Amino acid sequence: MIKTVPASLRWATIGLFFALLSACASTSNDGATPRTDRTQQTDDNSFDQRTILDASKDVFGEGAEGLGGIIEAIFADLGRPNAYIAGEEAGGALIVGLRYGNGTLHHKIEGAMPVHWTGPSIGFDVGGDAAKVFTLVYNLYDTADIYRRFPQVEGQFYFIGGLGVSYHQRGDVIIAPIRLGVGLRAGANIGSYKITRESTFNPF
């Protein structure tokens, strides 16, 4: 016998969907390719490629396949970052989902400090993922500017041990999280990425 879903549960699910959609739409960008001013990237205020590769190996391990190629591609697109975040996150989705993470922000000038992030995702996601995350950060001349919401548009498929990267931008600040995932997640999702000083369960 087929059981019907209670009306209250249906409306609660629909309400959550549109609340997440509203949060995503209010911070969406125009999809333009991120840009950086490489003339402002100096030895004093940014990290070179070797330093970033070594730091990312501390997160993913020496044997992470494709890591060097992804770092090289990001440097080709954006140049030298002036900060990076080493951390981990967990999340999952079946149409509507959430992700939570924490790590350490390493800024070239201001040093190291803890950060946390949350974000809703909406789309055709299947399964869940738990991931080590290494994020390159650009145009962050004041670390206070990292504590905001960054729009994201992702289409990703995680194999076991798969590696993926995407770009997110809010104002001039650009973040490029690289994930080494465990589990399976496929499809395209639209969400937002809120970085905070303190841990929170509120994705908005």
Side-chain angles (χ1 to χ4, degrees):
M1 183 176 66
I2 298 175
K3 296 182 179 180
T4 59
V5 178
S8 59
L9 180 58
R10 291 201 305 269
W11 283 112
T13 302
I14 293 170
L16 175 62
F17 176 84
F18 282 105
L20 294 178
L21 183 61
S22 176
C24 298
S26 66
T27 58
S28 62
N29 57 30
D30 60 7
T33 303
R35 292 285 184 268
T36 56
D37 184 357
R38 301 192 187 206
T39 63
Q40 301 298 316
Q41 299 171 357
T42 68
D43 290 338
D44 292 331
N45 68 11
S46 63
F47 296 98
D48 61 41
Q49 188 168 332
R50 172 50 60 184
T51 300
I52 291 298
L53 182 58
D54 289 344
S56 66
K57 288 179 179 178
D58 289 341
V59 173
F60 298 124
E62 291 284 344
E65 183 179 356
L67 181 58
I70 283 184
I71 295 293
E72 183 176 358
I74 298 172
F75 268 72
D77 285 345
L78 302 174
R80 299 165 51 131
N82 52 8
Y84 65 88
I85 300 170
E88 57 187 4
E89 68 178 15
L94 181 58
I95 305 303
V96 178
L98 300 171
R99 65 165 49 128
Y100 296 93
N102 64 86
T104 301
L105 171 69
H106 300 267
H107 191 269
K108 181 67 174 181
I109 296 175
E110 297 185 39
M113 59 201 72
V115 293
H116 304 266
W117 59 91
T118 61
S121 60
I122 300 173
F124 303 97
D125 288 324
V126 179
D129 58 65
K132 296 289 188 180
V133 184
F134 185 83
T135 302
L136 282 66
V137 184
Y138 291 85
N139 301 331
L140 186 66
Y141 299 109
D142 182 344
T143 55
D145 291 336
I146 197 70
Y147 302 112
R148 57 203 309 190
R149 187 182 302 280
F150 292 85
Q152 63 179 350
V153 177
E154 296 181 86
Q156 60 188 5
F157 186 86
Y158 281 1
F159 294 101
I160 294 176
L163 202 62
V165 63
S166 55
Y167 294 158
H168 312 254
Q169 183 171 6
R170 178 69 179 268
D172 292 331
V173 180
I174 301 165
I175 63 174
I178 304 168
R179 297 185 181 93
L180 179 62
V182 178
L184 178 65
R185 187 170 183 176
N189 61 71
I190 300 175
S192 58
Y193 207 89
K194 184 177 74 172
I195 299 178
T196 59
R197 291 182 173 85
E198 305 293 336
S199 179
T200 177
F201 288 105
N202 181 4
F204 307 109

